[in-house]
Amino acid sequence: MKCSIIQKPRQLSLAEREIPQPGRNEIQIKVMASGICGTDLHIFNGEYLGSYPVIPGHEFSGVVTAVGDETQRFKVGERVAVEPNIACDNCSNCLNNRQNFCDNWQAVGVTLPGGMEQYVVAPEKAAFDIGELPFEQAAFMEPLSCAVHGIERARIGLADRVAILGAGPVGNLLLQLARSQGAAQVTVLENNPGRAELARQMGADVVVNRLEDLQQAYYDVVIEATGVIPLMNRSIDFARKGGTILLFGVPPSGRNLELDAFKIFQSELRLLSSYTSVRNSHQAIHLLQSGQVKVEALISHRLPLEELEKGLEMIEKHDPQVKKVIIVPNH
Ligand SMILES: [Zn+2]
Ligand SMILES: [Zn+2]
């Protein structure tokens, strides 16, 4: 079968390898849709966790094609999506329901072979039944579960005013969740015209393209969804006194923030971050199945496995036409 391997930072190649066979507690999945994420770009650029070589892809869905002897929930032919973070369930963090901080953390597509190949194996406990949900939509289970975790942490209240910095695919998921939490007004900052238009379609009340157009000390909740350091530095300026800032976007590793310490002190700001998810996949699937979160309009391109590098470059260049890029390994 074909797979796409990042040999080392900035070096990607297409290769052939044996189809992996499932271990006792694993299932084998024929990958039907595999989303490219900003995190993949960080991995490609050598700015994230994990080691090389790695087969990326942590947002994917497919069909079960083989099951290990000790698996229980799945049969060949069933449709699944994978929660990529694999927790050991036996360290002090896991035993305290903090699986996202597992001491023995592994992740499909980060430390283990991911969905940018034709067949992948994953532990049965990481797989979720997607029913009739289209594969492309089910590939959003992972980013949506991260957005659900972030929104739960931010505790948006009924009638809150929310600002979201960045309307990439994840910003648009956060936007829809903020709405469903009862926000009275959602303002989105986005200077890419294609993404700004998308945010309007997805329910933003106000879309601005310059930081200066956001109101100072005004919003109940500010969600930073770009991971761009200068924007993260400014994110505290827009929260009201006693308001919340959620740092959601993934910044490059090894960089520092510069925040107005006195402002944080004087305004009793709640400054939060959000890291991956904690068993939010069921919620994500239900939100997709019910249509409460819509993702079809977030997809702009479908590419074969051979064009993964092109897809990464398209995302890196911020082309206004580029939204979510889905790789179809079994094209
Ligand atoms: Zn991702
Ligand atoms: Zn653990």
Side-chain angles (χ1 to χ4, degrees):
M1 67 159 189
K2 285 181 290 185
C3 63
S4 222
I5 304 184
I6 300 176
Q7 300 288 358
K8 57 185 188 186
R10 302 297 298 181
Q11 203 183 101
L12 183 85
S13 58
L14 192 72
E16 288 277 337
R17 73 171 188 126
E18 290 292 308
I19 294 179
Q21 296 304 315
R24 286 174 305 161
N25 296 303
E26 291 179 330
I27 62 173
Q28 181 194 64
I29 300 161
K30 181 179 184 184
V31 182
M32 302 306 288
S34 188
I36 306 180
C37 166
T39 300
D40 294 316
L41 196 56
H42 283 309
I43 294 171
F44 181 57
N45 286 331
E47 303 166 333
Y48 199 66
L49 309 163
S51 55
Y52 300 86
V54 63
I55 297 173
H58 59 272
E59 304 181 355
F60 64 92
S61 62
V63 182
V64 177
T65 43
V67 298
D69 294 340
E70 289 175 20
T71 59
Q72 296 176 352
R73 287 188 295 126
F74 294 106
K75 290 198 289 286
V76 169
E78 289 184 321
R79 308 167 83 256
V80 295
V82 168
E83 184 179 285
N85 294 296
I86 313 292
C88 75
D89 298 324
N90 203 29
C91 69
S92 62
N93 282 315
C94 285
L95 293 169
N96 277 301
N97 287 319
R98 297 182 198 120
Q99 289 89 341
N100 56 337
F101 306 130
C102 173
D103 294 338
N104 306 303
W105 172 84
Q106 296 277 330
V108 176
V110 183
T111 65
L112 303 170
M116 296 302 176
E117 58 182 347
Q118 292 186 294
Y119 291 84
V120 67
V121 293
E124 179 184 33
K125 68 174 185 177
F128 289 78
D129 182 347
I130 59 169
E132 296 302 307
L133 198 64
F135 291 118
E136 290 183 346
Q137 293 186 30
F140 282 83
M141 180 186 83
E142 192 276 337
L144 182 55
S145 68
C146 295
V148 167
H149 177 60
I151 291 290
E152 285 186 337
R153 284 179 59 69
R155 290 196 245 126
I156 293 170
L158 187 61
D160 271 359
R161 292 184 288 220
V162 177
I164 299 175
L165 314 187
V170 159
N172 276 291
L173 297 177
L174 292 162
L175 160 62
Q176 294 180 70
L177 293 176
R179 280 255 95 102
S180 71
Q181 292 292 93
Q185 187 200 64
V186 183
T187 300
V188 171
L189 169 74
E190 177 58 64
N191 63 13
N192 175 320
R195 291 179 167 194
E197 178 50 38
L198 186 62
R200 271 183 216 101
Q201 273 176 41
M202 303 312 293
D205 299 289
V206 183
V207 181
V208 300
N209 63 11
R210 301 179 322 152
L211 211 50
E212 297 70 42
D213 296 330
L214 288 173
Q215 296 195 55
Q216 299 266 331
Y218 175 79
Y219 304 94
D220 299 289
V221 179
V222 175
I223 303 175
E224 204 300 314
T226 69
V228 173
I229 302 283
L231 267 179
M232 293 172 78
N233 287 339
R234 294 291 310 280
S235 60
I236 65 168
D237 296 348
F238 309 105
R240 66 159 167 84
K241 286 190 161 52
T244 296
I245 298 102
L246 174 69
L247 300 177
F248 188 92
V250 181
S253 59
R255 299 276 306 277
N256 291 340
L257 289 179
E258 200 170 295
L259 299 171
D260 183 335
F262 196 81
K263 183 177 277 179
I264 295 172
F265 159 69
Q266 191 187 28
S267 302
E268 284 194 354
L269 297 176
R270 288 175 71 225
L271 195 52
L272 304 172
S273 68
S274 179
Y275 179 64
T276 72
S277 61
V278 186
R279 291 275 177 254
N280 302 99
S281 295
H282 266 295
Q283 288 162 290
I285 290 171
H286 293 167
L287 288 163
L288 292 167
Q289 285 176 332
S290 67
Q292 204 164 351
V293 171
K294 295 184 169 56
V295 295
E296 204 51 51
L298 306 186
I299 302 168
S300 63
H301 293 77
R302 292 140 179 107
L303 302 175
L305 196 55
E306 290 77 1
E307 294 184 32
L308 174 59
E309 187 160 355
K310 180 179 159 195
L312 286 163
E313 282 166 5
M314 285 160 63
I315 293 170
E316 194 163 36
K317 282 184 190 139
H318 294 286
D319 181 327
Q321 305 314 320
V322 177
K323 296 168 188 113
K324 193 69 169 180
V325 180
I326 301 270
I327 298 292
V328 187
N330 286 287
H331 188 49

